[in-house]
Structure formats: structure tokens, C-alpha cells
């Protein structure tokens, strides 16, 4: 009797509808990944001619060609730039979020506005002036030419997202900590940072993605091939008239794989950790 | 950093001019910066080989090469120019595009340098012309290209048509193909410069050469600017191909890559494309011999130049601020030699501009046909989007898309072009 | 930690971040404001001071207004789909309707579009939208909606909306996951007591979930609006702003002006306007956020 009721509840119409919709949505979002991999195994004309069918002959050679182009050192560069940028963004972002959301002091509103303004413009706008500024600081054509702007542009989002999460923490935590005489940094490092780890992890993955796929700055501010990142390396697989599309697809899969892996590995943590994170 | 380069550069240049070769080798290293738009693996292999060989032969010269793909190149060259960090040697399309650099004083006048014996017999006059402004030469051509029709031999044989000799024959061929259930011409205008091939060529054939030159360079008087009826006729003929059902449906929704892929799969009868894309289209479906080419047919009563070929060289300019003009020229000399030109064509499939570089050893029959076409042309009609001022080109191309989408008439498009041209002329660019 | 040092501490800690943002984000903005008062081709070393001429020209430029309209459409669609539907999706994923593990799978799947490189997305959707062999038209015909078949990216009337749709596909899952992070921070007890009180799932959503994620909502609304004002690469890659400028946005127009039609001053003017627009909305957002506190 109880089992029947359980069954009926398990398959209530609401639930079935939701499941069906979500499954449809999932197919809709996963299919492109499948398509990307399949396309990378086709010949260039197959890609456009029979875009939706399976490859006639699985062209594993595309990956060999893509790799032979020296993707190895591009990946190293991308890894260096991404890990350094993300680490800095998270540390600086979380600290700033803490200071702006939790700590009381004068001029907070103005500073908040100031940081917010950093999110407003698309990076393409800054190409001319940034080029000069980077030259001035001697950063042009170095890892710094990418890392510094990425941190500067990635900071605002980190601040606001982590800040929004920190704002959900009851203020008593801060009062209790300062009453105990803890300094700001201690309060941040031992209490607020751990508590907002889910938001921090989320921002880390997101900014990591952004930096890994970033094109405009990596292209304009870097000249030496030895510093090139993966995204730029792959974009060179063809010009307007003669693109080897299938090899390009293989390159894109190679580029997506690490990001996807990183996401899959960490997502459980940043969402999982939050469960029961903040008790009322 | 730049100051030090200046000192060493000046010293090297001075001594190279005064001392015999051997002594010059005792100088400090000269660095040439070289920016081009071919980062693809096949091209880079060629460039790196030439650079390495050159550096080995000239131990006192080191070449810093950077390559950025086609679309981002347009942005990068501007950022680089604006910051004053101009590369010693940089890529440029010919025509108005190169003229911009010349007008801004960024390109070196190499007319005298090219008179030297080592440059003679290198290029035909037609190749150099698009790099000549106010009677002076500024650019070194690297490769050449032309817009031609590629056709599917099997389809033509099946339907019983042969390559047309003039425009009305072209229309007849299209009609026969359409009747046989084959899409006559493949066209993709999502990136509108493909339409520029058609319009540019039709302009050349329908508008008298002198009028066209005056209009393109904005030298014509205001009340005559872009008023020749040939322009509107060109657009009408272009649109006619669509309304008669000779293009595939919705060209605006197709990218050139899709369309070329479709042609290479044997679907359409013809496609207007550049000779450098001919060989890659010989897919398994169409067969290595399945592709032929014919020049864009002349128009019987056209008032323009029927022997003009829509094509252009592109190549390199030297910075007017370079500290090492001699070395830069020397490197370009080596880069465009007949041997290296042949290697370039063999490796990349793109026809070198150097005379004698493109032979049966490194090019297919159709590519050779295209090169011969360029050699025999009375004049080269450059790509429409690089031969007129940017803003006017933008309006022209948007108008082409409107024609393909049926949202504007040829008269309306020309009206917009005329308006923009007047604006630009008045600003005195 | 006594008086003076304690009071200075926040400022001292913030200083390096503020300096970074000031130099690398604001200096370029100021430079752009300066550029907008000149007429300048990037290739030429000479600039010509033209005062407000660029602004006057901008406001009289029909292409500016149509681009602005396109951005507005973008913003409205993004707020409705990404933020509103994203929140609903997040709530559904976190609710009791789904077992934990299944919810986790869905969450991962929905996030994936935002991970793909823009080149892949552009190519994929150009093919999907292709009128002759694209899956979109094929699907419509299979379902019997054949009369809705269009040349999506090729027609001036559907081009922008087609690109907008791709953006929603790309970012909705991402926004949903960000909301999930926020929802996870809501104490379970609130839901449990509501359920005991007899409130259904929908009631729980509106009276508990929505108010509790307020802060996050404001942030996400803000970044969505900013994103809508500065949208560039998805449009550039899919239509280049065409056909015939039908899908031109402020971002693509600005890029074209600065890097193709060689009017850097004019491009800077558009950029200044984008900054002003975003600032207005950002301030509005902040004010609303403050009001509610």
C-alpha cells in the first residue's frame, strides 16, 4: 500500500513533466559537444556536406595534424596564464568582496561603484590605450601582458559574485570575530573565505574558462610564438579562403577538453560544498 | 630599447654603405621585425624556412617574425601603427588599402631601390601597378589572385553546356542548368566581400575605366560622383542572377565555406571564387579532374574594359621609419626570388607574383590558366572592398546583402553609396 | 588593533586592487573619452580635434539608433530567459522534484554551452540555422510547423533574434548554476517549515527562494545588462552585423568603426556611450538594491 503511494508520488505528473523538459534541454545542450567531436573526425567537405551524419571514415589523423602543429607548448602557456590569473583574481576578489560587503568603513559606496564600473566596457575598446600602457610598464609581449589585464577585468565580477554570497552570512560572525580582537585579514582568511568557498570555486571555474578561451588580448599583446596561448594557436588553422575545418575542429576539441575536465572535476565541490553551508 | 636599436641600426647602415661586405659582418646584430597575415602551418613552414636560411647567410641580421590571421590582422596592424611600434616589414593588400599607409606616411618609397639590377624581370607591370601611388612605388608583391568561375565538368557534360564566352551565354548556361534541376551558381554572402567579386567585376565591365578610377579615388567632381548608370546596371545584373533563380536560395544565410563545401560535393554547377581555392575544392566527390575554370565573361555592350581582370596582388610594405631599409629590401628580394616563389606556390598552393615562379611543377592546369589570365589582362580591377575607401565599401557591401535579401533596389543602394562617397569626399580624407 | 591603524586597514588592503583597476580599466576608458573628441585614423600619426562633432554625428546616425535598439532587444530577452528562467531552472534543480544525482547530471549538462569556445558555437549554429540542410528548419518541418521555415541568419527580419536565441542557449545554464550556488546557501529549515505549513512548491519558490537570493539576483541582472550592452563576439562571428546591418549592435559597430572603417574617434564615441548606458543601468540596479535593504 505504502509502496503504491510512493510510486505515485515518485511519478507525479509534475515530476514527469519536469523530467521530460529537463531531458529535452539536456539533449539540446549536450548535442553540440557530440557534434563538435564528430565533426573533428570528418574531412573538411564532409563537415559541410553531411554536417549531421556520422563520419564516413573516422579521421583520427586530424588530431595528429593538429597536435603536430605544436599545440603542446601552447597548452603550457595557456595553463600558466590561466592558473596565475585565476589565483590572483580569486584572492584579490574575495578579499575585496569581504572588505566591501562585511567591513564597515567610509567611502564604501564610492569604491563599490568604482569597481562596478570595471565591468562595463567590452575589452575591444581598450585595445589602443592598453597597448600603450602595457608598453609603458614593459609588459608587452610577456606573460604579464595577458595576466595583468585579465586580473583587472576579472576582478569586478569576482568581487560582486563572492560579495553577494558573503552578504548572506549573518553579520554576527563579523562582530563576534572583531570582538575577539581578530584583525581584518585573519577574519577574512579564517572565517569568511572558507564560508564562501562555493562562490569562490564557482568564480574560479568561470574566470578560468574566460581566460582560457580569451582571444583579443592574447592576440594583440603577444608577438612571440613561444608565448602564444592555445586559443590563438588554434585560430591560425586557416585563413578566410582556405580553412582546414576538420583540423580546426580537432584543435577546438583539444582546447575544450581541459576546461571541461576542470569543470567536471570541480563543479561537484563548489555546488556540493554549499549544502548546509550557512546555518540559520 | 628603441634608442639602442637606432644607434646600432644607424651604425650598421652607415658601415654597410661604406665598408666592404666582410667588414660589415663585424657589426652588432640588426633586428628586422616582420609582420604578416599567414600564421597557418603550411605558410609558416615556408616563411620559417626562408627566415632561417636568410639568418644563416647573414649572421648579423636577425628577423623577428609575427603572424596574425586575416581578420584579426586588420585590428592588430592598426593597434601597432597607432602605438608607433611599426614593424620594419608588414603585409598589406594592394590598392586603396596600401594607399592608406602611404598617405599616413608609414610606407617607404622604394621606386629608386627597385630600379636596381637584382629586381629586374621580377614582376610584370600589372603586379606593381596596384602598389604605385602618385607615380611612386611602395610595395613588394608576394602573391597574386584573380576571381574566376570554377565549374563542375561532370555536370556541364551531363546537361550539355560549355563554358560561356560572354554574359548572355552565361545566362543561357544558367537557364539550362536550372531546367535540368541543378543549382547553377553557388553563392554565400554572409561575409559580404564575396559579393564584392561580382560587383567589382561588373563595375569594371560596365563603367568606363577613367570614370571608375575617378569615382573610386573620389577625384570626380561632386555632382558626378558615382552617377554613371553603369554602376546601377552592375547591381541590376547581379540581382538578376538571384531573381532568375540562378543562385542557391538565401545567399545571405550561407558562408563561403558552406558554399564551397557544397560545390565540392558536386551540387552546384558553378562558383565564383579565387584561384587559390581551386585546388582544395577537388574533393573526392568532384574528382581531381572534375573541376574546370573560365574567366568572368565579358558583357557584349558594356562600356567598360572587357579585358580587365578582377584580381589583385598582395604583398609587403616597408616602414618609412625603418632603421634598416637596405636589409629589409634585401630580405624581401630573397623572399620573392623565383626559387622561393616557386617553393611558396608549391607549399601553400597560392600563386606567387614573381614571374616564372608558377609552373606545371607546382600548380594545376586551372591555376596556371588563372595566372595566364592575369598576365594577359589589360588592367587589374582590384577587390572592391580594398580599392575604395572603407566607409563607402561598407555601405556598398551592406547594399549587396540587401539586394540578395530583396530589401533594397539597385537604385537605392547606389543612392546610399553616392551619399556616403560625398560625405567622405567632403571630410577630405 | 588601535584606532588609526584599524581605520586605515581596509583602505590599505584595497589599494592594490583599486590601483590595478584604475590603471588597466579606467585609464583606457579615460583615453576613449579623449579619443572621442578627435577624428583619427589609427594609421595616421595626426589627430584632428573635432570637439563634439563625433557625438553630433552619432546621434544623427540611423545605424547607431538601430544598433541601440538591437541591444535593447538583447537585454530584454536575456533578462527574461537567462535570469528569470535561469532562476526557475535552478529552483527546479534544487527542489525535491528530482533526485540529487540526476539533478547533478542535468546541472553539468546545462552548463556546458558556456564552456565551448565561441568559434565552435558560431560554426555550429550557422550550420543549424542553414536554410537548406540545417537542423532547425528540418525540425520545424518534422513537427509540422513547416510554414515557420526561414533563412534565419540570412533574413534581415530574423537575423538578430536568431543570434539572441543562441546567446540564451549559451548562457542560461550558466546563470542557472550560479543561482544554484546561491540557493544552496538558503537554510533547509525554511523550506521544511513552509512545507509543514502546507505551502506548495510554487508558493515556496516565490516566498522563500526568490527573496533569499536577492543579492545574487541583483548581481546577475547587472552582469546580464552589461553583457547585453557590450555584446560583441557572438554577433561578429555569426553575422558580422549583417545582413545589411540588421544585427548590428553597439559593440560590433564600435569594432567596425575603430578597426575596419578606420574611424577610431567615432568608435571611441560609441564606446563612451556604451559606458554611459551601462553606468546608468548599473547605478539604477544598485539604488534598487539599496532601497530594498
Amino acid at each position: 500500500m505504502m509502496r503504491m503511494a510512493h510510486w505515485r508520488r515518485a511519478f507525479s505528473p509534475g515530476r514527469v513533466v519536469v523530467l521530460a523538459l529537463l531531458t529535452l534541454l539536456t539533449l539540446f545542450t549536450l548535442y553540440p559537444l557530440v557534434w563538435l567531436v564528430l565533426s573533428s573526425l570528418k574531412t573538411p567537405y564532409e563537415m559541410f556536406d553531411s554536417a549531421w551524419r556520422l563520419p564516413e571514415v573516422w579521421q583520427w589523423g586530424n588530431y595528429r595534424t593538429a597536435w603536430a602543429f605544436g599545440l603542446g607548448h601552447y597548452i603550457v602557456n595557456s595553463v600558466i596564464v590561466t592558473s596565475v590569473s585565476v589565483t590572483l583574481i580569486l584572492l584579490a576578489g574575495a578579499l575585496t568582496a569581504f572588505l566591501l560587503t562585511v567591513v564597515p568603513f567610509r567611502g564604501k559606496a564610492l569604491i563599490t561603484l568604482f569597481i562596478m564600473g570595471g565591468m562595463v566596457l567590452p575589452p575591444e575598446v581598450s585595445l589602443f590605450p592598453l597597448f600603450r600602457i602595457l608598453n609603458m610598464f614593459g609588459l608587452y609581449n610577456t606573460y604579464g601582458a595577458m595576466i595583468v589585464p585579465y586580473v583587472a577585468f576579472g576582478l569586478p565580477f569576482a568581487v560582486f559574485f563572492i560579495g553577494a554570497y558573503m552578504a548572506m552570512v549573518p553579520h554576527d560572525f563579523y562582530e563576534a570575530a572583531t570582538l575577539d580582537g581578530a584583525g581584518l585579514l585573519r577574519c577574512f582568511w579564517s572565517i569568511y573565505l572558507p564560508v564562501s568557498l562555493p562562490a569562490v570555486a564557482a568564480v574560479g571555474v568561470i574566470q578560468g574558462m574566460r581566460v582560457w578561451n580569451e582571444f583579443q588580448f592574447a592576440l594583440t599583446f603577444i608577438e612571440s610564438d613561444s608565448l602564444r596561448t592555445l586559443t590563438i594557436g588554434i585560430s591560425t588553422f586557416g585563413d578566410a579562403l582556405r580553412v582546414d575545418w576538420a583540423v580546426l575542429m580537432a584543435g577546438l576539441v583539444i582546447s575544450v577538453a581541459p576546461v571541461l575536465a576542470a569543470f567536471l572535476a570541480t563543479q561537484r565541490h563548489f555546488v556540493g560544498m554549499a549544502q548546509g553551508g550557512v546555518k540559520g | 630599447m628603441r634608442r639602442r636599436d637606432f644607434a646600432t641600426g644607424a651604425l650598421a647602415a652607415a658601415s654597410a654603405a661604406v665598408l666592404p661586405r666582410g667588414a660589415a659582418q663585424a657589426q652588432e646584430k640588426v633586428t628586422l621585425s616582420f609582420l604578416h597575415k599567414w600564421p597557418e602551418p603550411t605558410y609558416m613552414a615556408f616563411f620559417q624556412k626562408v627566415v632561417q636560411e636568410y639568418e644563416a647567410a647573414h649572421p648579423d641580421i636577425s628577423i623577428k617574425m609575427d603572424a596574425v590571421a586575416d581578420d584579426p590582422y586588420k585590428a592588430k596592424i592598426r593597434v601597432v601603427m597607432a602605438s608607433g611600434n611599426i614593424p620594419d616589414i608588414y603585409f598589406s593588400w594592394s590598392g586603396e588599402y596600401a594607399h592608406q599607409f602611404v598617405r599616413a606616411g608609414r610606407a617607404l618609397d622604394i621606386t629608386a631601390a627597385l630600379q636596381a639590377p637584382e629586381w629586374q624581370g621580377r614582376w610584370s607591370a600589372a603586379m606593381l601597378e596596384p602598389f604605385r601611388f602618385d607615380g611612386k612605388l611602395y610595395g613588394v608583391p608576394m602573391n597574386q589572385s584573380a576571381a574566376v568561375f570554377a565549374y563542375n565538368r561532370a555536370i556541364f557534360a551531363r546537361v550539355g553546356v560549355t563554358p560561356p564566352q560572354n554574359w548572355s551565354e552565361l545566362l543561357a548556361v544558367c537557364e539550362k542548368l536550372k531546367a535540368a534541376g541543378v543549382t547553377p551558381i553557388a553563392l554565400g554572402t554572409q561575409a559580404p566581400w564575396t559579393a564584392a567579386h561580382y560587383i567589382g567585376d561588373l563595375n569594371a565591365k560596365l563603367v568606363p575605366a577613367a570614370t571608375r578610377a575617378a569615382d573610386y579615388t573620389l577625384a570626380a567632381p561632386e555632382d558626378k560622383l558615382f552617377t554613371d548608370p553603369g554602376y546601377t546596371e552592375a547591381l541590376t545584373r547581379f540581382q538578376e542572377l538571384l531573381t532568375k533563380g540562378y543562385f542557391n536560395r538565401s545567399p545571405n544565410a550561407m558562408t563561403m565555406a558552406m558554399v564551397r563545401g557544397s560545390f565540392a560535393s558536386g551540387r552546384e554547377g558553378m562558383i565564383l571564387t579565387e584561384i587559390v581555392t581551386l585546388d582544395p575544392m577537388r574533393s573526392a566527390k568532384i574528382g581531381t579532374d572534375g573541376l574546370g575554370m573560365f574567366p568572368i565573361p565579358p558583357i557584349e555592350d558594356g562600356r567598360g574594359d572587357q579585358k580587365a581582370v578582377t584580381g589583385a596582388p598582395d604583398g609587403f610594405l616597408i616602414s618609412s621609419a625603418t632603421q634598416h631599409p637596405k636589409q629589409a629590401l634585401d630580405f624581401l628580394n630573397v623572399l620573392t626570388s623565383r626559387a622561393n616563389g616557386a617553393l611558396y606556390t608549391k607549399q601553400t598552393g597560392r600563386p606567387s607574383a614573381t614571374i616564372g615562379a608558377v609552373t606545371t611543377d607546382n600548380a594545376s592546369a586551372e591555376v596556371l590558366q588563372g595566372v595566364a589570365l592575369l598576365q594577359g589582362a589589360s588592367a587589374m580591377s582590384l577587390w572592391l572592398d580594398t580599392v575604395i575607401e572603407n566607409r563607402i565599401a561598407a555601405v556598398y557591401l551592406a547594399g549587396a546583402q540587401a539586394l540578395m535579401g530583396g530589401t533594397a533596389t539597385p537604385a537605392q543602394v547606389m543612392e546610399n553609396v553616392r551619399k556616403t562617397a560625398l560625405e567622405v569626399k567632403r571630410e577630405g580624407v | 588593533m588601535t584606532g588609526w591603524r584599524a581605520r586605515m586597514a581596509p583602505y590599505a588592503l584595497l589599494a592594490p586592487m583599486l590601483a590595478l583597476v584604475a590603471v588597466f580599466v579606467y585609464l583606457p576608458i579615460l583615453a576613449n573619452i579623449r579619443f572621442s573628441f578627435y577624428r583619427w585614423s589609427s594609421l595616421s600619426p595626426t589627430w584632428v580635434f573635432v570637439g563634439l562633432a563625433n557625438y553630433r554625428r552619432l546621434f544623427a546616425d540611423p545605424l547607431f539608433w538601430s544598433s541601440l535598439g538591437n541591444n535593447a532587444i538583447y537585454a530584454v530577452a536575456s533578462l527574461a530567459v537567462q535570469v528569470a528562467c535561469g532562476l526557475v531552472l535552478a529552483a527546479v534543480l534544487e527542489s525535491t522534484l528530482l533526485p540529487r544525482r540526476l539533478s547533478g547530471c542535468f546541472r553539468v549538462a546545462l552548463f556546458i554551452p558556456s564552456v565551448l569556445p565561441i568559434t565552435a558555437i558560431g560554426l555550429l549554429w550557422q550550420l543549424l540555422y542553414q536554410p537548406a540542410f540545417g537542423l532547425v528548419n528540418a525540425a520545424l518541418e518534422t513537427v509540422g510547423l513547416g510554414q515557420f521555415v526561414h533563412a534565419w541568419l540570412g533574413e534581415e527580419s530574423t537575423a538578430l533574434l536568431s543570434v539572441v536565441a543562441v546567446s540564451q542557449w549559451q548562457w542560461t545554464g550558466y546563470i542557472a548554476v550560479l543561482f544554484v550556488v546561491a540557493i544552496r546557501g538558503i537554510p533547509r529549515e525554511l523550506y521544511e517549515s513552509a512545507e509543514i505549513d502546507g505551502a506548495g512548491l510554487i508558493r515556496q519558490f516565490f516566498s522563500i527562494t526568490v527573496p533569499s537570493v536577492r543579492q545574487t539576483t541583483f548581481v546577475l541582472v547587472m552582469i546580464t545588462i552589461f553583457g547585453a550592452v557590450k555584446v560583441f563576439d557572438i554577433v561578429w562571428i555569426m553575422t558580422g552585423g549583417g545582413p545589411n546591418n540588421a544585427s548590428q549592435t553597439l559593440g560590433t559597430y564600435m569594432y567596425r568603426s575603430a578597426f575596419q572603417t578606420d574611424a577610431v574617434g567615432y568608435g571611441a564615441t560609441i564606446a563612451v556611450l556604451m559606458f554611459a548606458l551601462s553606468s546608468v543601468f548599473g547605478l539604477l540596479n544598485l539604488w534598487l538594491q539599496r532601497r530594498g535593504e
Side-chain angles (χ1 to χ4, degrees):
Chain A
M1 199 58 171
M2 277 293 277
R3 208 177 296 159
M4 275 297 276
H6 186 93
W7 258 87
R8 220 175 285 135
R9 212 181 69 127
F11 286 94
S12 66
R15 209 173 246 184
V16 171
V17 168
V18 162
L19 269 174
L21 279 174
L22 280 175
T23 314
L24 214 63
L25 223 58
T26 305
L27 286 171
F28 196 39
T29 51
L30 276 186
Y31 175 71
L33 202 56
V34 172
W35 175 85
L36 185 63
V37 175
L38 285 180
S39 296
S40 67
L41 295 167
K42 295 182 177 165
T43 62
Y45 292 100
E46 236 186 323
M47 226 197 82
F48 287 102
D49 188 34
S50 54
W52 316 116
R53 285 177 244 140
L54 290 176
E56 254 182 59
V57 178
W58 296 58
Q59 311 276 347
W60 297 103
N62 286 340
Y63 282 91
R64 250 178 284 132
T65 315
W67 190 264
F69 182 34
L71 290 189
H73 84 269
Y74 291 151
I75 291 182
V76 169
N77 289 333
S78 281
V79 169
I80 294 178
V81 171
T82 305
S83 40
V84 174
S85 306
V86 170
T87 311
L88 289 176
I89 290 175
L90 291 180
L91 283 175
L95 181 58
T96 312
F98 168 67
L99 291 167
L100 288 180
T101 332
V102 179
V103 180
F105 62 92
R106 291 262 296 270
K108 238 166 56 156
L110 209 60
I111 295 183
T112 307
L113 275 178
F114 184 75
I115 303 257
M116 182 187 84
M119 284 201 275
V120 163
L121 280 184
E124 290 77 20
V125 170
S126 328
L127 282 179
F128 288 117
L130 264 184
F131 194 86
R132 288 202 195 184
I133 295 175
L134 287 173
N135 254 314
M136 239 164 45
F137 280 90
L139 289 172
Y140 178 74
N141 208 30
T142 62
Y143 282 129
M146 295 183 277
I147 294 176
V148 174
Y150 290 157
V151 176
F153 279 92
L155 209 54
F157 173 72
V159 169
F160 283 96
F161 192 75
I162 299 177
Y165 197 82
M166 282 186 178
M168 283 163 67
V169 176
H171 206 70
D172 336 330
F173 274 73
Y174 180 67
E175 281 156 13
T178 45
L179 228 56
D180 283 348
L184 281 177
L185 275 179
R186 251 261 262 159
C187 192
F188 165 69
W189 191 259
S190 350
I191 304 179
Y192 278 86
L193 186 57
V195 154
S196 33
L197 227 35
V200 170
V203 172
V205 169
I206 288 164
Q207 293 295 355
M209 251 164 51
R210 292 255 172 94
V211 169
W212 184 271
N213 286 332
E214 204 277 336
F215 185 81
Q216 205 62 252
F217 287 178
L219 179 81
T220 317
F221 302 146
I222 296 293
E223 246 176 52
S224 316
D225 194 61
S226 56
L227 294 173
R228 280 252 161 79
T229 58
L230 189 58
T231 312
I232 305 295
I234 290 173
S235 71
T236 64
F237 278 140
D239 66 12
L241 292 176
R242 283 178 44 170
V243 182
D244 193 342
W245 295 98
V247 176
L248 176 65
M249 291 287 115
L252 285 174
V253 172
I254 296 180
S255 169
V256 164
V259 184
L260 212 53
F263 170 62
L264 287 174
T266 54
Q267 68 90 26
R268 192 166 313 163
H269 294 288
F270 70 75
V271 191
M273 260 184 212
Q275 196 157 23
V278 183
K279 293 288 194 295
Chain B
M1 187 163 137
R2 242 173 288 154
R3 240 177 286 135
R4 208 178 132 248
D5 267 1
F6 176 78
T8 48
L11 200 57
S15 9
V18 171
L19 302 171
R21 201 93 208 293
Q25 284 188 320
Q27 297 310 319
E28 283 192 55
K29 241 197 159 103
V30 162
T31 310
L32 285 178
S33 51
F34 174 34
L35 176 66
H36 64 81
K37 74 156 184 112
W38 298 293
E40 303 83 7
T42 42
Y43 289 86
M44 281 308 272
F46 165 77
F47 282 108
Q48 270 157 3
K49 177 171 180 296
V50 175
V51 166
Q52 272 158 19
E53 276 174 6
Y54 191 80
E55 282 180 337
H58 304 81
D60 56 323
I61 301 184
S62 132
I63 301 185
K64 232 177 37 156
M65 178 165 64
D66 185 20
V68 170
D70 193 274
D71 201 42
Y73 179 82
K74 296 184 192 128
K76 180 139 195 186
I77 189 69
R78 292 201 150 82
V79 175
V80 152
M81 290 263 156
S83 73
N85 265 1
I86 306 171
D88 294 301
I89 302 174
Y90 57 96
F91 167 86
S92 172
W93 287 274
S94 52
E96 173 63 19
Y97 195 85
H99 201 181
Q100 291 173 111
F101 293 109
V102 171
R103 271 199 304 258
R106 304 291 204 188
L108 190 67
D109 176 1
I110 53 177
T111 325
L114 292 187
Q115 308 269 17
E118 63 259 23
W119 296 100
Q120 297 316 309
R122 182 66 58 92
W123 300 291
S124 63
M127 284 300 134
L128 286 171
E129 201 49 43
F131 284 110
R132 192 192 297 271
F133 309 105
D134 299 319
K136 300 198 211 112
L137 275 173
Y138 290 89
V140 169
M142 180 74 191
N143 58 42
Q144 52 177 319
S145 193
V148 296
F149 270 107
Y151 71 96
N152 186 319
R153 288 190 203 269
I155 292 183
F156 267 43
R158 183 161 51 90
V159 176
V161 288
T162 54
Q165 303 298 313
N166 57 46
W167 198 260
S168 32
E169 279 184 33
L170 175 66
L171 295 179
V173 168
C174 287
E175 197 55 51
K176 279 228 181 106
L177 287 168
K178 184 169 152 208
V182 175
T183 307
I185 309 176
L187 176 68
T189 52
Q190 191 253 311
W193 51 263
T194 51
H197 289 342
Y198 281 93
I199 300 176
D201 194 79
L202 287 168
N203 278 357
K205 301 204 160 96
L206 293 168
V207 178
T211 316
R212 190 166 57 93
D215 284 329
Y216 283 2
T217 54
L218 298 179
E222 284 196 6
D223 54 344
K224 290 280 193 311
L225 203 56
F226 283 103
T227 49
D228 191 290
Y231 291 116
T232 321
E233 196 191 335
L235 293 178
T236 312
R237 282 184 190 255
F238 177 51
Q239 192 185 40
E240 171 177 65
L241 292 171
L242 179 76
T243 51
K244 290 211 165 119
Y246 299 157
F247 285 141
N248 44 261
R249 254 179 40 195
S250 322
N252 281 341
M254 316 279 274
T255 64
M256 212 33 188
M258 281 180 204
V259 165
R260 252 182 257 132
S262 184
F263 176 80
S265 308
R267 290 221 191 89
E268 293 85 7
M270 298 174 266
I271 184 172
L272 182 60
T273 186
E274 294 185 33
I275 48 185
V276 66
T277 66
L278 290 177
D279 291 339
M281 284 198 291
R282 296 175 204 273
S283 65
K285 284 259 177 68
I286 205 173
T288 14
D289 281 323
L291 193 151
M293 73 81 111
F294 59 88
I296 306 179
I299 301 179
E300 299 90 331
D301 43 0
R303 290 151 52 238
D305 182 355
Q306 304 312 315
K307 299 203 92 236
V309 171
T310 296
D314 43 30
F316 300 105
L317 302 180
I318 301 181
S319 165
S320 54
T322 183
Q323 308 301 335
H324 321 292
K326 270 201 152 59
Q327 288 88 331
L329 276 163
D330 190 52
F331 175 65
L332 284 175
N333 191 347
V334 169
L335 190 64
T336 58
S337 68
R338 187 176 305 183
N340 275 333
L343 184 63
Y344 176 71
T345 305
K346 190 174 188 116
Q347 184 118 13
T348 66
R350 218 180 250 264
S352 159
T354 309
I355 294 180
V358 184
T359 61
T360 45
D361 285 336
N362 52 25
S364 66
E366 282 73 23
V367 172
L368 283 169
Q369 258 183 287
V371 169
L373 190 66
L374 280 167
Q375 305 285 32
S378 56
M380 261 200 275
S381 163
L382 306 179
W383 316 123
L384 189 67
D385 56 333
T386 57
V387 77
I388 54 180
E389 198 271 342
N390 288 315
R391 253 184 295 159
I392 310 175
V395 171
Y396 227 135
L397 295 180
Q401 283 182 322
L403 285 178
M404 289 296 104
T407 56
T409 66
Q412 283 169 339
V413 172
M414 278 324 292
E415 189 48 50
N416 280 337
V417 170
R418 185 151 187 277
K419 229 171 42 174
T420 313
L422 272 171
E423 248 177 56
V424 173
K425 186 180 165 73
R426 283 185 188 144
E427 277 176 25
V429 164
Chain C
M1 264 251 215
T2 49
W4 190 85
R5 275 177 66 197
R7 265 182 293 128
M8 279 297 115
Y11 300 107
L13 288 172
L14 280 174
M17 279 76 91
L18 294 179
L20 192 69
V21 173
V23 171
F24 291 94
V25 179
Y26 277 93
L27 268 190
I29 294 178
L30 290 175
N32 261 301
I33 296 180
R34 188 159 154 249
F35 292 168
S36 69
F37 296 124
Y38 288 83
R39 194 174 70 231
W40 173 35
S41 147
S42 48
L43 304 175
S44 154
T46 53
W47 308 12
V48 177
F49 182 75
V50 290
L52 294 173
N54 280 332
Y55 288 94
R56 255 178 274 135
R57 205 175 113 202
L58 191 69
F59 288 119
D61 186 350
L63 194 48
F64 166 68
W65 293 106
S66 68
S67 304
L68 188 60
N70 286 344
N71 284 86
I73 294 176
Y74 224 98
V76 169
S78 301
L79 287 174
V81 180
Q82 287 174 41
V83 181
C85 292
L87 181 53
V88 170
L89 251 157
V92 167
L93 286 174
E94 285 302 291
S95 72
T96 49
L97 281 176
L98 300 170
R100 285 288 117 222
R101 214 172 295 153
L102 201 55
S103 161
C105 289
F106 282 135
R107 204 175 52 223
V108 168
L110 288 172
F111 195 79
I112 289 193
S114 63
V115 167
L116 299 175
I118 195 81
T119 320
I121 294 180
L123 205 55
L124 167 72
W125 279 95
Q126 274 174 344
L127 288 171
L128 283 172
Y129 276 134
Q130 222 273 346
F133 57 78
L135 287 187
V136 172
N137 280 347
L140 283 174
E141 298 204 352
T142 324
V143 189
L145 292 172
Q147 74 264 38
F148 289 113
V149 159
H150 282 282
W152 304 99
L153 292 175
E155 285 177 32
E156 292 180 35
S157 49
T158 55
L160 180 72
L161 290 174
S162 306
V163 178
V164 169
V166 177
S167 247
Q168 306 320 308
W169 169 84
Q170 192 184 1
W171 297 111
T172 306
Y174 161 97
I175 299 275
V177 171
L178 293 182
F179 270 126
V180 165
V181 177
I183 290 179
R184 292 274 183 128
I186 303 177
R188 291 280 126 204
E189 295 85 63
L190 286 178
Y191 290 105
E192 280 157 22
S193 50
E195 185 146 2
I196 291 174
D197 284 348
L201 284 174
I202 300 188
R203 182 82 112 61
Q204 286 175 36
F205 175 71
F206 283 106
S207 42
I208 304 176
T209 316
V210 174
S212 308
V213 298
R214 238 174 137 268
Q215 296 292 347
T216 307
T217 309
F218 274 113
V219 172
L220 295 180
V221 164
M222 189 162 61
I223 61 169
T224 305
I225 293 182
F226 289 169
V229 171
K230 66 185 183 184
V231 66
F232 169 72
D233 50 10
I234 185 76
V235 181
W236 191 256
I237 237 190
M238 292 199 72
T239 60
N244 195 18
N245 297 317
S247 60
Q248 201 78 249
T249 58
L250 291 175
T252 55
Y253 193 22
M254 177 213 73
Y255 186 86
R256 205 180 79 171
S257 301
F259 296 107
Q260 289 192 347
T261 57
D262 235 6
V264 182
Y266 198 61
T269 315
I270 300 177
V272 169
L273 229 45
M274 284 163 75
F275 178 66
L277 216 68
S278 291
S279 305
V280 164
F281 281 110
L283 286 170
L284 200 65
N285 197 333
L286 265 180
W287 180 72
L288 282 172
Q289 192 177 4
R290 282 293 138 90
R291 270 269 304 260
E293 269 165 20

